[in-house]
Amino acid sequence: MGEVCCVYFLYFIFNIISIIKQILVNLLKIIHDFRLLYITLHIKLLGNMDKDNYTHQRIAWIDVMKGFLFTLVVLGHFLTTLPTPEFLVEVYDFFSPFRMPAYFFISGLLFSTRRLKTYFLYIKSKSQTLLLPYISLSIVFLLLDWNIYSDFSYMLSDLRRIFIDGLSAYKSQPLWFVFTLYIVCLLYYPFHLFGNRYSLFFIFLAGIFVLISYIITRNDIYLPFNLGTAVTAMPFFICGVASKKIIFIITTLPFYKKFFFISIFFIGYTVIYFTNNIGGRLFDNQVENYFVFYFLSIVGIVWFCCLSSEFAKLKYKVIGIFENIARNALIILGTHGYVLIIETFVFSNIARDMNSYVIFVVAFVVLVILEILSICICNKYFYFFLGKKQLSIKESLSIRKE
């Protein structure tokens, strides 16, 4: 009996060893294939593109990612002002930790000096594409705010928010992101040459900004131009710049290889999300746990980059809709807050007895219609305020992949 048990035990051990061996062989094969792919794409990346440039064409999966996350931004503002189904609140909460950091990461991913060789040219370009729209839209919604015509101090407060605090007008608060991104871009450019020469400089630079952010938040230091938030967001931008080649390689892997990364990062993100507080938020620069805040956000961002690169391959119209949202993000960002303020006033004072789900559907449909009109009007008639080229209505609403 003892001999039989011993044989079964040895057979069991042998099978375990065989399974472990097969797993190791497969992992080594994946690592080998990944290394070959890295070398091939690295050569292609340096051969066909500028060393400092990710690409000068729109990347479908990045538009899909930006479009989806931006939809969550609108949803987040929607659920704080109007009745929203509980499951949408849970979806929003799940993506919330990396929702805004992802935009700074993507901006770093797309950072390029290909056409902008000097700091002056870079400032000029960013002022046209970020600062001009920020000021233009902020002034428009300042003038559309009925409170300034009866309260002079309110108007002065709004002007301070726009030009000193960098938070935009009360009726267009989501534009804080546009100005903060502008500051982040200008802060990073002078350091870029060092990062190109010394890879470890990126880690050092990110660490310095995390330390400065910690000092600012813990001592409740006020800085003009939303510099406090810009400093906290800078590490995400730096991570995007530093990891652009790795992200490019991972997102071009075939699905059966990419699935490994999707699974690992999703499991890591989910475990951290459900066992910790999310760590902080960027809007008002409140960070409670710096490690959780940055680590959870980066893990979530990489996971969603991989996922978006697969979604972008789908032929469904909804993918084209996300891409269109990404292309018109600036317009939606500037206008949806004002629309929600009007809707909140209407439904809280006129239609307060309506069913909450009816309110949600009606308010959502109205919001979509008004945003479509805003996109068409802005792209056709006020494009110069947005630093963009004029687009026809058909081009503005196109959901075909570019």
Side-chain angles (χ1 to χ4, degrees):
M1 184 68 180
E3 293 178 353
V4 173
C5 291
C6 184
V7 170
Y8 276 113
F9 178 74
L10 291 174
Y11 179 73
F12 174 75
I13 294 297
F14 177 78
N15 283 328
I16 293 295
I17 293 173
S18 299
I19 292 171
I20 293 174
K21 179 183 175 182
Q22 190 62 41
I23 291 172
L24 290 174
V25 168
N26 290 333
L27 282 175
L28 288 173
K29 186 176 183 302
I30 290 173
I31 292 171
H32 177 70
D33 291 345
F34 184 80
R35 182 173 176 273
L36 289 177
L37 186 64
Y38 175 84
I39 294 171
T40 304
L41 292 178
H42 184 69
I43 294 172
K44 194 180 294 184
L45 196 66
L46 296 181
N48 297 338
M49 303 179 191
D50 182 85
K51 182 181 179 182
D52 189 41
N53 186 34
Y54 190 78
T55 182
H56 44 266
Q57 295 180 342
R58 297 196 77 95
I59 304 170
W61 71 263
I62 288 183
D63 276 345
V64 171
M65 182 174 177
K66 287 167 63 179
F68 180 80
L69 293 176
F70 192 77
T71 302
L72 290 177
V73 171
V74 177
L75 176 63
H77 297 153
F78 200 104
L79 63 87
T80 58
T81 55
L82 291 163
T84 308
E86 186 61 32
F87 79 93
L88 288 178
V89 176
E90 293 176 359
V91 170
Y92 169 80
D93 287 342
F94 184 74
F95 289 95
S96 184
F98 67 87
R99 178 175 48 93
M100 294 312 299
Y103 284 102
F104 292 99
F105 181 90
I106 291 172
S107 298
L109 204 65
L110 299 175
F111 174 85
S112 171
T113 57
R114 179 184 175 87
R115 295 176 295 104
L116 307 168
K117 299 296 186 182
T118 66
Y119 196 26
F120 174 77
L121 289 175
Y122 188 75
I123 292 174
K124 181 180 177 182
S125 174
K126 291 303 173 184
S127 295
Q128 182 181 358
T129 57
L130 293 175
L131 184 62
L132 176 61
Y134 167 77
I135 294 176
S136 301
L137 291 171
S138 295
I139 294 298
V140 166
F141 288 104
L142 169 67
L143 297 175
L144 289 175
D145 190 339
W146 51 89
N147 293 302
I148 68 168
Y149 301 103
S150 59
D151 188 344
F152 183 70
S153 62
Y154 181 92
M155 182 180 69
L156 290 178
S157 177
D158 236 9
L159 289 171
R160 176 188 171 85
R161 286 174 58 87
I162 296 172
F163 294 105
I164 298 178
D165 297 334
L167 297 174
S168 190
Y170 285 112
K171 296 296 189 287
S172 57
Q173 290 188 46
L175 287 172
W176 71 267
F177 165 76
V178 178
F179 186 77
T180 304
L181 179 60
Y182 175 73
I183 296 297
V184 166
C185 291
L186 299 194
L187 283 175
Y188 174 76
Y189 189 96
F191 298 105
H192 185 59
L193 289 178
F194 294 98
N196 272 354
R197 296 175 184 173
Y198 313 103
S199 300
L200 291 177
F201 180 75
F202 287 121
I203 300 174
F204 171 77
L205 186 62
I208 291 296
F209 277 102
V210 170
L211 178 61
I212 296 172
S213 172
Y214 180 84
I215 294 171
I216 291 171
T217 56
R218 291 298 179 267
N219 293 281
D220 200 22
I221 299 172
Y222 167 79
L223 294 174
F225 308 122
N226 211 19
L227 276 168
T229 300
V231 167
T232 303
M234 179 65 83
F236 296 115
F237 189 92
I238 295 170
C239 285
V241 176
S243 63
K244 62 173 64 179
K245 292 175 184 176
I246 298 297
I247 295 295
F248 179 75
I249 290 167
I250 293 176
T251 54
T252 52
L253 287 171
F255 177 73
Y256 74 92
K257 294 181 180 179
K258 193 187 303 178
F259 182 75
F260 171 77
F261 293 97
I262 293 175
S263 302
I264 291 297
F265 283 105
F266 174 72
I267 292 170
Y269 177 80
T270 305
V271 169
I272 299 170
Y273 174 81
F274 285 108
T275 56
N276 292 272
N277 185 287
I278 64 172
R281 56 182 183 269
L282 274 178
F283 168 65
D284 50 2
N285 199 29
Q286 296 296 315
V287 182
E288 298 171 13
N289 187 318
Y290 269 80
F291 177 77
V292 173
F293 175 64
Y294 283 107
F295 188 74
L296 180 63
S297 297
I298 293 297
V299 170
I301 289 168
V302 176
W303 163 63
F304 207 71
C305 284
C306 296
L307 205 60
S308 298
S309 65
E310 285 302 310
F311 285 151
K313 298 175 184 178
L314 302 177
K315 302 299 182 182
Y316 300 120
K317 291 290 185 181
V318 68
I319 302 302
I321 292 174
F322 283 139
E323 292 180 358
N324 183 275
I325 290 172
R327 293 195 296 271
N328 294 293
L330 193 57
I331 299 170
I332 302 172
L333 189 67
T335 57
H336 81 275
Y338 191 82
V339 174
L340 287 176
I341 289 172
I342 301 299
E343 287 188 326
T344 302
F345 174 80
V346 171
F347 286 109
S348 61
N349 291 280
I350 300 174
R352 65 179 67 183
D353 296 328
M354 290 177 61
N355 180 276
S356 61
Y357 284 98
V358 174
I359 291 177
F360 170 78
V361 172
V362 173
F364 179 77
V365 171
V366 171
L367 176 63
V368 170
I369 292 172
L370 292 179
E371 289 305 323
I372 290 174
L373 290 174
S374 299
I375 289 169
C376 294
I377 293 171
C378 290
N379 281 331
K380 189 171 179 62
Y381 300 107
F382 302 105
Y383 57 93
F384 43 87
F385 287 129
L386 303 173
K388 299 173 65 176
K389 295 180 180 180
Q390 185 178 30
L391 297 176
S392 65
I393 294 176
K394 183 178 180 181
E395 290 172 322
S396 297
L397 301 181
S398 172
I399 57 174
R400 293 180 301 175
K401 294 185 177 182
E402 295 186 343

